[in-house]
Amino acid sequence: MRNAMLAMVALGAFGLGCTSAMGQGSREGGRGGPGGRMGGGFDPTATRYINPGTLAALDGFTHAVRVGQMVYVSGEVALDSMGTLVGPGDLAAQARQAFANLEFVLDLAGVSPTDVVQLNVYVVGYKPADWATIRQAGAKFFPQRNPPAGTVLGVTALPREGLLIAVDAIGLVKATFRPLRD
């Protein structure tokens, strides 16, 4: 199961899955009940697949997988909610859309841009001059202090014609729940 999860996360950089299911829990083996929960309680180690129906995607991958406090986000690209490519030929416009999609998925998983611990950027035909454009588009993800670990890779193509950028991330959920107030 762990190796399959790692393989799925590694492949997620190049594709997106879009089903209407959100928050499905699953766990092989068992401690009884759906999602591996015992007695209907919360299981912080359950796997949750996040595929918002309002976010278009390429076939084949889940937008994000949350396992415990870790959130693994597949490569988010410049598609709007209808699946139309945003900013054909315009890296700045595509980067803004990709980072907006990334932030949306992270938010559904309970993670903010400041909780991202690793960020990888894949750019078709990358040139060093593109870096300023990418940083400007994703400013929330590149803070002055303590930016995430990451890599920028130039690639020859992405899974759909016209895509110029994909951004994947790993985030850490800092709190599973908020304490009750007195």
Side-chain angles (χ1 to χ4, degrees):
M1 172 72 174
R2 184 169 190 274
N3 288 339
M5 177 64 68
L6 292 175
M8 180 175 65
V9 170
L11 290 172
F14 296 106
L16 304 169
C18 192
T19 61
S20 60
M22 183 180 130
Q24 296 176 1
S26 67
R27 185 174 178 149
E28 290 185 17
R31 295 191 312 194
R37 288 178 271 155
M38 195 171 191
F42 175 73
D43 181 358
T45 63
T47 300
R48 183 174 151 209
Y49 296 89
I50 301 167
N51 284 303
T54 58
L55 186 58
L58 302 173
D59 292 331
F61 293 94
T62 294
H63 278 281
V65 177
R66 179 174 169 178
V67 182
Q69 292 182 269
M70 299 302 299
V71 176
Y72 304 90
V73 182
S74 295
E76 294 299 321
V77 295
L79 297 179
D80 67 14
S81 63
M82 300 301 292
T84 304
L85 178 64
V86 173
D90 183 350
L91 179 60
Q94 288 198 25
R96 284 190 299 273
Q97 184 67 43
F99 280 109
N101 291 348
L102 175 62
E103 186 172 15
F104 179 72
V105 172
L106 286 169
D107 185 57
L108 289 176
V111 176
S112 72
T114 59
D115 300 325
V116 171
V117 296
Q118 184 172 3
L119 185 70
N120 296 309
V121 182
Y122 307 86
V123 183
V124 174
Y126 177 77
K127 301 174 293 304
D130 295 337
W131 184 234
T133 301
I134 294 164
R135 285 193 61 167
Q136 184 176 11
K140 292 179 185 178
F141 293 92
F142 301 107
Q144 291 292 327
R145 292 184 49 113
N146 303 320
T151 304
V152 178
L153 295 168
V155 297
T156 57
L158 289 168
R160 181 169 163 182
E161 192 67 36
L163 288 174
L164 299 176
I165 187 169
V167 184
D168 70 27
I170 299 174
L172 177 65
V173 178
K174 293 189 177 169
T176 305
F177 59 90
R178 294 185 181 139
L180 295 173
R181 296 181 199 180
D182 289 333

